[in-house]
Amino acid sequence: MRKTKDFIGKIFLTDDSSTSRWHVIDDYFITILIVLNIIAMMLESIESHYLEYKVFYTAFDYFSVAVFSLEYLIRIWIADLMYPNLSKTKARIKYVFSFFGLIDLLAILPFYLPMFVKIDLRFLRMLRLLRIFRILKLARFIKSLQLLFTVFKEKKEELIITMFGSSLLLILSATLMYEIEHDIQPDKFGSIFHSIWWAVATLTTIGYGDVFPISGWGQFLAAITALFGIGLVAIPTGIISIGFVEQLQNKNTELSNSESEVEPKSVSHFEYCPYCGKKLPEHE
Amino acid sequence: MRKTKDFIGKIFLTDDSSTSRWHVIDDYFITILIVLNIIAMMLESIESHYLEYKVFYTAFDYFSVAVFSLEYLIRIWIADLMYPNLSKTKARIKYVFSFFGLIDLLAILPFYLPMFVKIDLRFLRMLRLLRIFRILKLARFIKSLQLLFTVFKEKKEELIITMFGSSLLLILSATLMYEIEHDIQPDKFGSIFHSIWWAVATLTTIGYGDVFPISGWGQFLAAITALFGIGLVAIPTGIISIGFVEQLQNKNTELSNSESEVEPKSVSHFEYCPYCGKKLPEHE
Amino acid sequence: MRKTKDFIGKIFLTDDSSTSRWHVIDDYFITILIVLNIIAMMLESIESHYLEYKVFYTAFDYFSVAVFSLEYLIRIWIADLMYPNLSKTKARIKYVFSFFGLIDLLAILPFYLPMFVKIDLRFLRMLRLLRIFRILKLARFIKSLQLLFTVFKEKKEELIITMFGSSLLLILSATLMYEIEHDIQPDKFGSIFHSIWWAVATLTTIGYGDVFPISGWGQFLAAITALFGIGLVAIPTGIISIGFVEQLQNKNTELSNSESEVEPKSVSHFEYCPYCGKKLPEHE
Amino acid sequence: MRKTKDFIGKIFLTDDSSTSRWHVIDDYFITILIVLNIIAMMLESIESHYLEYKVFYTAFDYFSVAVFSLEYLIRIWIADLMYPNLSKTKARIKYVFSFFGLIDLLAILPFYLPMFVKIDLRFLRMLRLLRIFRILKLARFIKSLQLLFTVFKEKKEELIITMFGSSLLLILSATLMYEIEHDIQPDKFGSIFHSIWWAVATLTTIGYGDVFPISGWGQFLAAITALFGIGLVAIPTGIISIGFVEQLQNKNTELSNSESEVEPKSVSHFEYCPYCGKKLPEHE
């Protein structure tokens, strides 16, 4: 029993570094199944196509849920291998309420819930939307996605400041535009909320073209907002780009540092400072 | 009396660093009231909703103005605590004409003015727009917003140059487009000002789609303008992004410097130059 | 005579650094006149307004041309002060064919030409467009604009490469889209040139909305083009932004260097290397 | 024979560095022919123009194919000069299946194929599209384009991560928008694929304006998607910009290094550290 569990652990715990190659089974199989689920979800939305192949899609959904359910149960079972310093029960509870534990549950819930609870149709449709969480299951297998989250966390402060500034700008310009254009285009600038829709389309430079000012003052305000505001809204992009490049450089530096263990810096072949061109004092 | 004033000063002067925690009252209470005012302003713009709950919104406005007025009076009263090296009168005058003093006044003015002056309806509406200054009251409580202003001030020179270049480009392309498209689309390119509206929508890449060239030469000019001009208009964004990251790095450096007081630099654990990997000469 | 010329030279040659303050007259007067000319040009384009004030605008144009002509003649006269190591005639020829010499001429030419040559109406209108060169006269007085040109010159290589890449991408995507959408929307994708108009609007993200693919394959191509191509087209912006910041840092470094003449570097108050935190070897 | 081959090799192998100047013939002649082919392809798409000058364009196509075929045969013939350490046959096979070998073939194939194989009309049109590969022949002559590919290769990791993140975001927002707007605008959000078309237009900020949400919740989702998502999609641009500047700096550094051969660093004129302003220890 212990042995079986350990073996299954080797398959499912991708955190098991290098030594075990069994988790490739899990990696590939589950990843492919998730991707197929996403494709199926997209194809199902083509009504005529769905009605024709309904039997197939239903069967595929049963199969997917069966696999994901099995995966969920196994992950609960082997939770104590994931958190080795917790008791069995605590480890299981911890997994169930962990980020990926909840996603694993939400990805299969829309299938089981209607069996136990009586649900009206509208809510049922919203339930089916939960299948979207199957996409998020992918995140477990893609380690590089975690880098993206790290960048967001690193630049949190900058992002909050600019987000806040952008929000204020959004509300300010929307309110002013509402006052200017409300009387001329009451259907398009019916309230400040409608006006915010205009402000979002303008400050992000999407410009769908469904709402735009037609009065001279309105166009003047739009021009000012656009020329000054776009910068503010676009700043987070610049910040994240810079953070991203920094993050990957750090990772590479750490890598090259860990490779050279004797010398604290792996650049001992430098005899002249690359910065100032002078010969450097010798190692003592 | 002195004591009461000092106590109230502790509540209202957020510039009072660290020691007093009383200003949290002011921070939270006023901040929440301002945010509620913004939400109310947005909801009031939905006409049917406003007519139904008019009594509530009027009451809330009375309450807000009462609080903001009280706050304004208190701030005038304790102005001498804010500028301790000025006389009482001078401190009060300085506050009244300071940036935030004027905003505090403008935020309540639209309420009081109609009581004293006879105002026609159109002007009354513009007065109500002054409520927008309540949003700007927020800026006092958000220290990080000031960082944004610092960046703008730091990069003033770059911004002015590019703004100027953008303006010239705007006028040049608008004038040329006016000459090309005026005869073909007299309603859309009626004057150079109409043409500037096109140029803004193009150079900011908003592209609402209400105005665009239809002649071959017009489209050629638009393509050239877009390909060469967008860069120019987008440069300020890049500049501000870079300035922003620089600013925050400076702040962090200062922070880490002030933390280590004995050593002028807190990096005494470096034995090898992080740049060239050579052992550095010892401290003398 | 010599003296008068020198005095006028002091007024007109803004290249005369620091010592003379007379050129402020020229700077301010001509600059303001140019700005007024731009404003007039824009207002004249409002037909009803122009017809009403035609007399005024004509008078203003006569006055402007008179001043600009006088300025042009004076600049020819004092050309030898501008190029002191050339003979009088050579200096004048050099000025006339210099960048600003040609602009000065083109700015007044549309006024004089119809007097000497018989011109049909259509060509006359194009001549009037030459007034746009009055805007470019501004460039002489705005030194900071020259920084912008420097950045473009510095990053020439990068810009040419990306421009070339963008052009190829433009033609490739336009050709493919033409083949896909030509049969479905023959009016919008009538030829590859029409298709290039779509490609420009897409790759610059303007998206006016007058032309867009409607077939599945067309939308697929548009999506691929947008996701991969936008980056390419936007790269020049990033490059110019970086170049701009670099340029201004260089200028500031030169400035601070020229201020400290005794010490080669003005940072002698550093006792510890700001980079590695170690005390630096003493000056010998 | 050998001599002729060597001479022709000098003309066609642009990889032959510096010594031979004969390859300029090939460079200029073929480059100009390719550019003329691109222009012809664009002009041919104007139907009325093509019908009028059909004879000319057919003749030009015959001529181009003749030249490109000759070039292809020559390149096969001299393949052993290109890969000197391979046998004749192996070198020729290697060239034929190399990137540029395939492009050279595909650029002339649409002309020859209909002679040998019976082809229906629809496939014939697709064949003609292969002429687009003539554009790619240009890449051989433009060395700087290769820099662009280098940047893409260098920043591969970053690009893949962000591309992946963008794709997930695209599918997520498209699915949610489909669920929200499908019932209200069944013609525009008919399936998730239609919805992805909206998501692409929004996240790239193109915003053609053919599809946009009209319900409150849809507009809310669009706003959230736009404000948070644009950054993600725009990151690759920032990354490539930075990579581009880095790449060109490296190239310049290598150049300046290879120029100074005696001193490992060409900065021996520095007596003071440019960083900290202290005199540096002398060369030992």
Side-chain angles (χ1 to χ4, degrees), chain C residues 189-224:
Chain C
F189 291 93
S191 75
I192 292 179
F193 295 99
H194 289 82
S195 200
I196 284 176
W197 175 238
W198 162 81
V200 167
T202 300
L203 287 172
T204 58
T205 78
I206 293 174
Y208 287 121
D210 54 338
V211 198
F212 49 82
I214 52 171
S215 70
W217 281 109
Q219 295 188 340
F220 181 72
L221 175 64
I224 296 293

Side-chain angles (χ1 to χ4, degrees), chain B residues 21 37 53 61 70 79 81 90 103 127 162 172 179 191 211 218 220 225 237 239-240 268-269:
Chain B
R21 271 166 317 173
N37 261 274
Y53 296 93
D61 200 39
L70 188 68
L81 297 179
K90 275 190 180 164
I103 281 185
L127 253 189
T162 47
L172 262 171
E179 296 291 340
S191 75
V211 197
F220 180 72
T225 306
T237 305
I239 290 168
I240 295 172
S268 58
H269 51 283

Side-chain angles (χ1 to χ4, degrees), chain D residues 234-284:
Chain D
I235 289 169
T237 306
I239 290 168
I240 294 170
S241 291
I242 294 170
F244 214 83
V245 171
E246 279 175 6
Q247 204 60 235
L248 273 157
Q249 277 172 347
N250 284 356
K251 225 184 72 183
N252 292 341
T253 311
E254 275 168 38
L255 232 93
S256 66
N257 278 359
S258 65
E259 278 166 5
S260 66
E261 287 188 30
V262 186
E263 282 279 6
K265 294 284 155 184
S266 62
V267 279
S268 59
H269 51 285
F270 275 175
E271 287 188 62
Y272 297 86
C273 173
Y275 197 86
C276 54
K278 284 276 167 177
K279 197 166 178 184
L280 288 150
E282 305 252 339
H283 281 219
E284 279 147 75

Side-chain angles (χ1 to χ4, degrees), chain D residues 45-57:
Chain D
S45 72
I46 307 170
E47 218 154 325
S48 61
H49 175 86
Y50 177 61
L51 292 174
E52 202 175 338
Y53 297 93
K54 198 173 177 176
V55 184
F56 170 76
Y57 283 113

Side-chain angles (χ1 to χ4, degrees), chain C:
Chain C
M1 190 63 184
R2 190 66 271 198
K3 236 171 158 182
T4 325
K5 198 173 187 175
D6 279 350
F7 179 68
I8 287 170
K10 272 182 191 160
I11 298 177
F12 278 88
L13 301 179
T14 56
D15 315 321
D16 253 9
S17 62
S18 58
T19 44
S20 134
R21 272 166 316 173
W22 286 99
H23 66 77
V24 170
I25 298 171
D26 169 53
D27 269 31
Y28 279 80
F29 183 66
I30 301 281
T31 304
I32 288 168
L33 193 63
I34 294 169
V35 171
L36 287 176
N37 261 274
I38 296 171
I39 294 170
M41 195 176 66
M42 292 200 281
L43 288 171
E44 279 179 48
S45 71
I46 308 170
E47 217 154 324
S48 61
H49 175 85
Y50 178 60
L51 292 174
E52 201 175 338
Y53 297 94
K54 199 172 177 177
V55 185
F56 169 76
Y57 283 114
T58 313
F60 179 68
D61 199 39
Y62 274 76
F63 173 71
S64 302
V65 169
V67 172
F68 290 147
S69 304
L70 189 67
E71 188 207 358
Y72 186 54
L73 291 175
I74 288 174
R75 282 190 195 280
I76 290 178
W77 182 43
I78 61 169
D80 50 337
L81 297 179
M82 219 154 102
Y83 309 107
N85 30 8
L86 290 177
S87 76
K88 263 189 189 177
T89 326
K90 274 190 183 166
R92 276 162 195 172
I93 288 168
K94 192 168 179 184
Y95 164 69
V96 169
F97 289 99
S98 72
F99 179 68
F100 282 118
L102 288 170
I103 282 184
D104 287 341
L105 180 62
L106 286 168
I108 51 172
L109 203 68
F111 187 85
Y112 293 111
L113 217 60
M115 296 181 180
F116 304 108
V117 200
K118 218 184 152 185
I119 292 172
D120 69 272
L121 265 167
R122 243 192 92 223
F123 187 67
L124 197 71
R125 243 193 99 180
M126 280 183 68
L127 252 189
R128 281 194 51 212
L129 197 57
L130 282 181
R131 287 195 304 167
I132 225 168
F133 282 103
R134 292 185 194 165
I135 299 179
L136 293 178
K137 277 172 80 86
L138 267 184
R140 180 187 275 128
F141 303 108
I142 298 138
K143 291 223 174 70
S144 49
L145 256 190
Q146 286 148 25
L147 189 75
L148 226 128
F149 287 107
T150 315
V151 173
F152 276 88
K153 237 191 298 182
E154 277 274 311
K155 299 284 173 191
K156 208 174 57 185
E157 199 183 350
E158 285 97 323
L159 291 176
I160 288 173
I161 296 174
T162 47
M163 285 284 167
F164 195 86
S166 304
S167 306
L168 276 194
L169 185 73
L170 215 67
I171 293 173
L172 262 172
S173 60
T175 309
L176 286 170
M177 189 55 89
Y178 167 75
E179 296 291 339
I180 293 172
E181 291 278 326
H182 175 57
D183 291 341
I184 309 165
Q185 302 188 83
D187 55 321
K188 300 212 161 154
F189 291 93
S191 75
I192 292 179
F193 295 99
H194 289 82
S195 200
I196 284 176
W197 175 238
W198 162 81
V200 167
T202 300
L203 287 172
T204 58
T205 78
I206 293 174
Y208 287 121
D210 54 338
V211 198
F212 49 82
I214 52 171
S215 70
W217 281 109
Q219 295 188 340
F220 181 72
L221 175 64
I224 296 293
T225 306
L227 289 172
F228 287 80
I230 285 165
L232 196 58
V233 175
I235 289 170
T237 306
I239 290 168
I240 295 171
S241 291
I242 295 171
F244 213 83
V245 171
E246 279 175 5
Q247 205 59 237
L248 272 157
Q249 276 172 348
N250 284 356
K251 225 184 71 182
N252 291 341
T253 311
E254 275 167 38
L255 231 92
S256 67
N257 278 357
S258 66
E259 276 168 3
S260 67
E261 288 186 28
V262 186
E263 282 278 8
K265 296 282 154 185
S266 62
V267 278
S268 58
H269 51 285
F270 275 175
E271 288 188 63
Y272 298 86
C273 174
Y275 196 86
C276 55
K278 284 276 168 178
K279 197 167 177 184
L280 289 150
E282 303 253 338
H283 281 218
E284 280 146 74

Side-chain angles (χ1 to χ4, degrees), chain A:
Chain A
M1 189 64 185
R2 189 70 264 205
K3 237 172 157 182
T4 326
K5 198 173 186 175
D6 280 349
F7 178 69
I8 287 170
K10 272 182 190 159
I11 299 177
F12 277 90
L13 300 179
T14 56
D15 315 320
D16 254 8
S17 63
S18 59
T19 44
S20 136
R21 271 167 316 172
W22 285 99
H23 66 77
V24 170
I25 299 172
D26 169 53
D27 269 31
Y28 278 81
F29 183 66
I30 300 281
T31 304
I32 289 168
L33 192 64
I34 294 169
V35 170
L36 287 176
N37 261 275
I38 296 172
I39 295 170
M41 195 176 67
M42 292 199 280
L43 288 171
E44 278 179 49
S45 72
I46 307 170
E47 217 154 326
S48 60
H49 175 86
Y50 178 60
L51 291 175
E52 202 174 338
Y53 296 94
K54 199 173 177 177
V55 184
F56 170 75
Y57 283 114
T58 312
F60 179 67
D61 199 40
Y62 274 75
F63 173 71
S64 302
V65 169
V67 172
F68 290 147
S69 303
L70 189 68
E71 188 207 359
Y72 185 54
L73 292 175
I74 289 174
R75 280 190 196 281
I76 291 179
W77 182 42
I78 60 169
D80 49 336
L81 297 178
M82 219 152 102
Y83 310 108
N85 30 8
L86 289 179
S87 76
K88 262 188 188 177
T89 327
K90 273 190 183 167
R92 277 162 193 172
I93 289 168
K94 191 168 179 184
Y95 163 68
V96 169
F97 289 100
S98 73
F99 179 68
F100 282 118
L102 288 170
I103 282 184
D104 286 341
L105 179 62
L106 286 167
I108 50 172
L109 202 68
F111 186 85
Y112 294 111
L113 216 61
M115 296 180 182
F116 305 107
V117 200
K118 219 184 152 186
I119 294 173
D120 68 272
L121 265 168
R122 244 192 91 224
F123 187 67
L124 197 71
R125 243 192 99 182
M126 280 185 67
L127 251 189
R128 279 193 52 212
L129 197 56
L130 283 180
R131 287 195 304 167
I132 226 168
F133 282 103
R134 290 183 194 166
I135 299 178
L136 293 179
K137 277 171 81 87
L138 268 184
R140 178 187 277 128
F141 302 109
I142 298 138
K143 291 225 175 66
S144 49
L145 257 189
Q146 286 147 24
L147 190 74
L148 226 128
F149 287 107
T150 314
V151 173
F152 276 88
K153 239 192 297 185
E154 277 274 311
K155 299 283 174 191
K156 207 173 59 183
E157 199 185 351
E158 286 96 324
L159 291 176
I160 288 172
I161 296 173
T162 47
M163 285 283 166
F164 195 86
S166 305
S167 306
L168 276 194
L169 185 72
L170 214 69
I171 292 173
L172 262 171
S173 59
T175 308
L176 285 169
M177 190 56 90
Y178 167 76
E179 296 291 340
I180 294 172
E181 291 278 325
H182 174 56
D183 291 341
I184 308 165
Q185 303 187 83
D187 54 322
K188 300 212 162 154
F189 291 92
S191 73
I192 292 179
F193 294 99
H194 290 83
S195 200
I196 283 177
W197 174 239
W198 161 82
V200 167
T202 299
L203 288 172
T204 58
T205 78
I206 294 175
Y208 288 121
D210 54 339
V211 198
F212 49 82
I214 51 172
S215 70
W217 281 109
Q219 294 188 341
F220 181 73
L221 175 64
I224 297 293
T225 306
L227 289 172
F228 286 80
I230 285 166
L232 196 58
V233 175
I235 290 170
T237 306
I239 290 168
I240 295 172
S241 291
I242 295 171
F244 213 83
V245 171
E246 280 175 5
Q247 205 59 237
L248 272 156
Q249 276 171 347
N250 284 356
K251 225 183 73 182
N252 291 340
T253 311
E254 274 169 39
L255 233 92
S256 67
N257 277 359
S258 66
E259 277 167 4
S260 67
E261 287 187 30
V262 187
E263 282 278 8
K265 296 282 156 186
S266 62
V267 280
S268 58
H269 51 284
F270 275 176
E271 287 188 63
Y272 298 87
C273 174
Y275 197 85
C276 55
K278 283 279 167 177
K279 198 168 178 184
L280 288 150
E282 304 253 338
H283 281 218
E284 279 146 75

